[in-house]
Amino acid sequence: MAEEPDATAAAEPQLTTRERRRTLVVGSVPVVLAAIVTTVLALTGRATFGDVVVGTVFYGGLLGLTVAVVVHERLQAAHCLRCGATGPLRRAVCGECGYDHAERPLYRCEERHHRYVEPGLCACGRRLARIEQARGLDREIKRTLWAGVWLAAFLLGVVLLLPYVD
């Protein structure tokens, strides 16, 4: 009986310096926008200096961190799991190595040591089993996110209109 070869381990995507800078710049934009908006409110007399600082740090910081995480995840998703080459996000097959990104087959041994992109044997000698892939954002999650966006817009509108109510 011939012994199976060791499987190819999945590449851990490493972002380039340019991609890291892009994440940092895009993540800092909401902080700057929050600072501008709260400064304008302070100059019109609707907010104090403390409101500017708290609004910038709290709202701008939270939104900036959220945006940076999403950008970082999208940049990592553009890397191939087999060879690490960068390509478009929704590609079906890697142009460099031919890995099937539509199916994204991943394998792991029962001890969950490493992720592999091909079946075979783990470094520990155990047979690899296919990992069930996550479905991603489905309709329920998207609806919940949109409800959150509309709720945030409604609350922002209430806050902006509240000073005009007697």
Side-chain angles (χ1 to χ4, degrees):
M1 182 169 154
E3 196 171 308
E4 287 188 45
D6 290 340
T8 305
E12 292 296 325
Q14 298 295 322
L15 297 181
T16 63
T17 304
R18 181 178 179 203
E19 291 171 330
R20 288 183 184 152
R21 277 193 206 124
R22 181 178 174 191
T23 303
L24 182 64
V25 168
V26 171
S28 62
V29 167
V31 177
V32 173
L33 289 176
I36 292 170
V37 168
T38 54
T39 302
V40 168
L41 290 174
L43 292 176
T44 60
R46 296 184 186 170
T48 64
F49 177 72
D51 295 335
V52 171
V53 172
V54 170
T56 300
V57 172
F58 188 73
Y59 297 112
L62 285 177
L63 186 58
L65 286 173
T66 304
V67 168
V69 166
V70 170
V71 168
H72 182 268
E73 290 297 320
R74 300 311 295 164
L75 287 173
Q76 277 193 328
H79 291 268
C80 177
L81 290 174
R82 180 182 281 167
C83 67
T86 304
L89 279 176
R90 301 213 183 265
R91 64 182 172 210
V93 176
C94 177
E96 299 288 324
C97 67
Y99 180 69
D100 183 11
H101 284 276
E103 186 69 22
R104 286 185 66 142
L106 290 174
Y107 302 89
R108 195 174 254 171
C109 74
E110 61 191 30
E111 296 291 322
R112 302 182 58 82
H113 289 129
H114 297 286
R115 295 183 315 165
Y116 294 90
V117 293
E118 295 174 2
L121 297 176
C122 180
C124 68
R126 291 182 173 84
R127 182 169 305 282
L128 298 172
R130 187 157 180 176
I131 301 172
E132 197 62 38
Q133 290 297 313
R135 294 184 334 184
L137 288 177
D138 56 356
R139 283 191 327 203
E140 294 84 19
I141 295 174
K142 287 181 183 177
R143 286 180 184 164
T144 305
L145 290 175
W146 275 113
V149 167
W150 283 106
L151 180 62
F154 173 74
L155 291 175
L156 181 63
V158 168
V159 167
L160 292 176
L161 294 175
L162 200 57
Y164 298 112
V165 177
D166 286 330

Coordinates of all heavy atoms in Angstrom, one line a residue, residues 54-104:
V54 N -15.0 64.1 23.0 CA -15.7 62.9 23.2 C -16.3 62.3 21.9 O -16.2 61.1 21.6 CB -16.8 63.0 24.3 CG1 -17.7 61.8 24.3 CG2 -16.2 63.3 25.6
G55 N -16.9 63.2 21.1 CA -17.5 62.7 19.8 C -16.5 62.2 18.9 O -16.7 61.2 18.2
T56 N -15.3 62.9 18.8 CA -14.3 62.5 17.9 C -13.7 61.2 18.3 O -13.6 60.2 17.5 CB -13.2 63.5 17.9 OG1 -13.7 64.8 17.4 CG2 -12.0 63.1 17.0
V57 N -13.4 61.0 19.6 CA -12.8 59.8 20.1 C -13.7 58.6 20.1 O -13.4 57.5 19.6 CB -12.2 60.0 21.5 CG1 -11.7 58.7 22.1 CG2 -11.0 61.0 21.5
F58 N -14.9 58.9 20.6 CA -15.9 57.8 20.7 C -16.5 57.4 19.4 O -16.3 56.2 18.9 CB -17.0 58.2 21.7 CG -17.9 57.1 22.0 CD1 -17.5 56.0 22.9 CD2 -19.2 57.0 21.5 CE1 -18.3 55.0 23.2 CE2 -20.0 56.0 21.8 CZ -19.6 55.0 22.7
Y59 N -17.2 58.3 18.7 CA -17.9 57.9 17.5 C -16.9 57.7 16.3 O -17.0 56.8 15.6 CB -18.9 59.0 17.1 CG -20.0 59.1 18.2 CD1 -20.1 60.2 19.0 CD2 -20.9 58.0 18.4 CE1 -21.1 60.2 19.9 CE2 -21.9 58.0 19.3 CZ -22.0 59.2 20.1 OH -22.9 59.2 21.1
G60 N -16.0 58.7 16.2 CA -15.0 58.5 15.1 C -14.1 57.3 15.3 O -13.8 56.6 14.3
G61 N -13.7 57.1 16.5 CA -12.9 55.9 16.8 C -13.6 54.6 16.6 O -13.0 53.7 15.9
L62 N -14.8 54.5 17.0 CA -15.5 53.2 16.8 C -15.8 53.0 15.3 O -15.6 51.9 14.8 CB -16.9 53.2 17.6 CG -16.8 53.0 19.1 CD1 -18.1 53.2 19.7 CD2 -16.2 51.7 19.4
L63 N -16.2 54.0 14.6 CA -16.5 53.8 13.2 C -15.1 53.6 12.4 O -15.1 52.8 11.5 CB -17.2 55.1 12.6 CG -17.6 55.0 11.2 CD1 -18.5 53.8 11.0 CD2 -18.3 56.3 10.7
G64 N -14.1 54.3 12.8 CA -12.8 54.1 12.2 C -12.3 52.6 12.4 O -11.7 52.0 11.5
L65 N -12.4 52.1 13.6 CA -12.0 50.7 13.9 C -12.8 49.7 13.0 O -12.3 48.8 12.5 CB -12.1 50.4 15.3 CG -11.0 51.0 16.2 CD1 -11.3 50.8 17.7 CD2 -9.6 50.5 15.9
T66 N -14.1 50.0 13.0 CA -15.0 49.1 12.2 C -14.6 49.1 10.7 O -14.4 48.1 10.1 CB -16.4 49.5 12.3 OG1 -16.8 49.5 13.7 CG2 -17.4 48.6 11.6
V67 N -14.4 50.3 10.2 CA -14.0 50.4 8.8 C -12.6 49.7 8.5 O -12.4 49.0 7.5 CB -13.9 51.9 8.3 CG1 -13.3 52.1 7.0 CG2 -15.3 52.5 8.3
A68 N -11.7 49.9 9.4 CA -10.3 49.3 9.3 C -10.4 47.8 9.3 O -9.7 47.1 8.5 CB -9.4 49.9 10.4
V69 N -11.2 47.3 10.2 CA -11.4 45.8 10.2 C -12.0 45.3 8.9 O -11.5 44.3 8.4 CB -12.2 45.4 11.5 CG1 -12.7 43.9 11.4 CG2 -11.4 45.6 12.7
V70 N -13.0 45.9 8.4 CA -13.6 45.5 7.2 C -12.6 45.6 6.0 O -12.5 44.6 5.2 CB -14.9 46.3 6.9 CG1 -15.4 46.0 5.5 CG2 -16.0 46.0 7.9
V71 N -11.9 46.7 5.9 CA -10.9 46.8 4.8 C -9.8 45.7 5.0 O -9.4 45.1 4.0 CB -10.3 48.2 4.9 CG1 -9.1 48.3 4.0 CG2 -11.3 49.2 4.4
H72 N -9.3 45.5 6.2 CA -8.3 44.5 6.4 C -8.8 43.1 6.0 O -8.1 42.4 5.3 CB -7.9 44.5 7.9 CG -6.8 43.5 8.2 ND1 -7.1 42.2 8.6 CD2 -5.5 43.7 8.2 CE1 -5.9 41.6 8.9 NE2 -5.0 42.5 8.6
E73 N -10.0 42.8 6.4 CA -10.6 41.4 6.0 C -10.7 41.3 4.5 O -10.5 40.3 3.9 CB -11.9 41.2 6.7 CG -11.8 41.0 8.2 CD -11.0 39.8 8.5 OE1 -11.1 38.7 7.9 OE2 -10.2 39.9 9.5
R74 N -11.2 42.4 3.8 CA -11.3 42.3 2.4 C -10.0 42.2 1.7 O -9.9 41.5 0.7 CB -12.1 43.5 1.9 CG -13.5 43.7 2.4 CD -14.3 42.5 2.4 NE -14.6 42.1 1.0 CZ -15.1 40.9 0.6 NH1 -15.3 40.0 1.5 NH2 -15.3 40.6 -0.6
L75 N -9.0 42.9 2.2 CA -7.6 42.8 1.6 C -7.1 41.4 1.8 O -6.4 40.8 0.9 CB -6.7 43.8 2.2 CG -6.9 45.2 1.7 CD1 -6.0 46.2 2.5 CD2 -6.7 45.4 0.2
Q76 N -7.3 40.8 2.9 CA -6.8 39.4 3.2 C -7.6 38.4 2.3 O -7.0 37.4 1.8 CB -7.0 39.0 4.6 CG -5.9 39.5 5.5 CD -5.9 38.8 6.8 OE1 -6.9 38.5 7.4 NE2 -4.7 38.6 7.4
A77 N -8.9 38.6 2.0 CA -9.7 37.7 1.2 C -9.2 37.8 -0.3 O -9.5 36.8 -1.0 CB -11.1 38.1 1.3
A78 N -8.5 38.8 -0.7 CA -8.0 38.9 -2.0 C -6.8 38.0 -2.3 O -6.4 37.8 -3.4 CB -7.7 40.3 -2.4
H79 N -6.2 37.5 -1.2 CA -5.0 36.6 -1.3 C -5.4 35.1 -1.5 O -6.4 34.7 -0.9 CB -4.1 36.7 -0.1 CG -3.5 38.1 0.0 ND1 -2.2 38.3 -0.5 CD2 -3.9 39.2 0.6 CE1 -1.9 39.6 -0.2 NE2 -2.9 40.1 0.4
C80 N -4.7 34.4 -2.3 CA -5.0 33.0 -2.6 C -4.5 32.2 -1.4 O -3.4 32.5 -0.8 CB -4.2 32.5 -3.8 SG -4.4 30.8 -4.1
L81 N -5.3 31.2 -1.0 CA -5.0 30.4 0.2 C -3.8 29.4 -0.1 O -3.1 28.9 0.8 CB -6.2 29.6 0.7 CG -7.3 30.4 1.4 CD1 -8.5 29.6 1.7 CD2 -6.7 31.1 2.6
R82 N -3.7 29.0 -1.4 CA -2.6 28.0 -1.8 C -1.3 28.7 -2.0 O -0.3 28.3 -1.4 CB -3.0 27.3 -3.0 CG -2.0 26.2 -3.4 CD -2.3 25.5 -4.6 NE -3.3 24.5 -4.3 CZ -3.9 23.8 -5.2 NH1 -3.8 24.1 -6.5 NH2 -4.8 22.9 -4.9
C83 N -1.3 29.7 -2.8 CA 0.0 30.3 -3.2 C 0.3 31.7 -2.6 O 1.4 32.2 -2.7 CB 0.2 30.4 -4.7 SG -1.0 31.5 -5.5
G84 N -0.8 32.4 -2.1 CA -0.6 33.7 -1.5 C -0.7 34.9 -2.6 O -0.6 36.0 -2.2
A85 N -0.9 34.5 -3.8 CA -1.0 35.6 -4.9 C -2.3 36.4 -4.7 O -3.3 36.0 -4.2 CB -1.0 34.9 -6.3
T86 N -2.1 37.7 -5.0 CA -3.3 38.6 -4.9 C -4.0 38.7 -6.2 O -3.4 38.8 -7.3 CB -2.7 40.0 -4.5 OG1 -2.0 39.9 -3.3 CG2 -3.9 41.0 -4.3
G87 N -5.3 38.8 -6.1 CA -6.2 38.9 -7.3 C -7.5 39.5 -6.9 O -7.7 39.9 -5.8
P88 N -8.4 39.5 -7.8 CA -9.7 40.1 -7.5 C -10.5 39.3 -6.5 O -10.3 38.1 -6.3 CB -10.5 40.1 -8.9 CG -9.7 39.3 -9.8 CD -8.3 39.1 -9.2
L89 N -11.4 40.0 -5.7 CA -12.1 39.3 -4.6 C -13.0 38.2 -5.1 O -13.0 37.2 -4.5 CB -12.9 40.3 -3.9 CG -12.2 41.2 -2.9 CD1 -13.1 42.2 -2.3 CD2 -11.6 40.3 -1.8
R90 N -13.7 38.4 -6.1 CA -14.7 37.4 -6.5 C -14.2 36.5 -7.7 O -15.0 36.0 -8.5 CB -16.0 38.1 -6.9 CG -16.6 38.9 -5.8 CD -18.1 38.9 -5.8 NE -18.6 39.8 -4.8 CZ -19.0 39.4 -3.6 NH1 -18.8 38.1 -3.3 NH2 -19.5 40.2 -2.8
R91 N -13.0 36.1 -7.7 CA -12.4 35.3 -8.7 C -12.8 33.8 -8.4 O -13.0 33.4 -7.3 CB -10.9 35.4 -8.8 CG -10.2 34.9 -7.6 CD -8.8 35.1 -7.7 NE -8.2 34.8 -6.3 CZ -7.2 35.4 -5.8 NH1 -6.5 36.2 -6.5 NH2 -6.8 35.1 -4.6
A92 N -13.0 33.1 -9.5 CA -13.4 31.7 -9.3 C -12.2 30.8 -9.1 O -12.2 29.8 -8.4 CB -14.2 31.2 -10.5
V93 N -11.1 31.1 -9.9 CA -9.9 30.3 -9.8 C -8.7 31.2 -9.8 O -8.7 32.2 -10.4 CB -9.8 29.4 -11.1 CG1 -8.5 28.6 -11.1 CG2 -11.0 28.4 -11.2
C94 N -7.7 30.8 -9.0 CA -6.5 31.6 -8.9 C -5.7 31.5 -10.2 O -5.6 30.4 -10.8 CB -5.6 31.1 -7.7 SG -4.0 31.9 -7.6
G95 N -5.3 32.6 -10.7 CA -4.6 32.7 -12.0 C -3.2 32.1 -11.9 O -2.6 31.7 -12.9
E96 N -2.6 32.1 -10.7 CA -1.2 31.6 -10.5 C -1.2 30.1 -10.3 O -0.4 29.4 -10.9 CB -0.6 32.3 -9.2 CG -0.5 33.8 -9.3 CD 0.5 34.2 -10.3 OE1 1.6 33.6 -10.4 OE2 0.3 35.2 -11.0
C97 N -2.0 29.5 -9.4 CA -1.9 28.1 -9.1 C -3.1 27.3 -9.4 O -3.0 26.0 -9.4 CB -1.6 27.9 -7.6 SG -2.9 28.4 -6.5
G98 N -4.2 27.9 -9.8 CA -5.4 27.2 -10.2 C -6.3 26.7 -9.0 O -7.2 25.9 -9.2
Y99 N -6.1 27.3 -7.8 CA -6.9 26.9 -6.7 C -8.3 27.4 -6.9 O -8.6 28.5 -7.4 CB -6.3 27.5 -5.4 CG -7.1 27.2 -4.2 CD1 -7.1 25.9 -3.6 CD2 -7.8 28.2 -3.5 CE1 -7.8 25.7 -2.5 CE2 -8.4 27.9 -2.3 CZ -8.5 26.7 -1.8 OH -9.1 26.4 -0.7
D100 N -9.3 26.6 -6.6 CA -10.7 26.8 -6.8 C -11.2 27.7 -5.6 O -11.6 27.2 -4.6 CB -11.5 25.5 -6.9 CG -13.0 25.8 -7.1 OD1 -13.3 26.9 -7.5 OD2 -13.7 24.8 -7.0
H101 N -11.3 29.0 -5.9 CA -11.8 30.0 -4.9 C -13.3 29.9 -4.7 O -13.8 30.3 -3.7 CB -11.3 31.4 -5.2 CG -9.9 31.6 -4.8 ND1 -9.5 31.9 -3.6 CD2 -8.8 31.6 -5.6 CE1 -8.2 32.1 -3.6 NE2 -7.7 31.8 -4.8
A102 N -14.0 29.5 -5.7 CA -15.5 29.4 -5.6 C -15.9 28.3 -4.6 O -16.7 28.5 -3.7 CB -16.1 29.1 -6.9
E103 N -15.2 27.2 -4.6 CA -15.5 26.1 -3.7 C -14.7 26.2 -2.4 O -15.2 25.9 -1.3 CB -15.1 24.8 -4.3 CG -15.5 23.6 -3.6 CD -17.0 23.3 -3.5 OE1 -17.7 23.9 -4.3 OE2 -17.4 22.6 -2.5
R104 N -13.5 26.8 -2.4 CA -12.6 27.0 -1.3 C -12.5 25.7 -0.4 O -12.7 25.8 0.8 CB -13.0 28.1 -0.4 CG -12.7 29.5 -1.1 CD -13.1 30.5 -0.1 NE -12.1 30.5 1.0 CZ -11.6 31.5 1.6 NH1 -12.0 32.7 1.2 NH2 -10.8 31.4 2.6

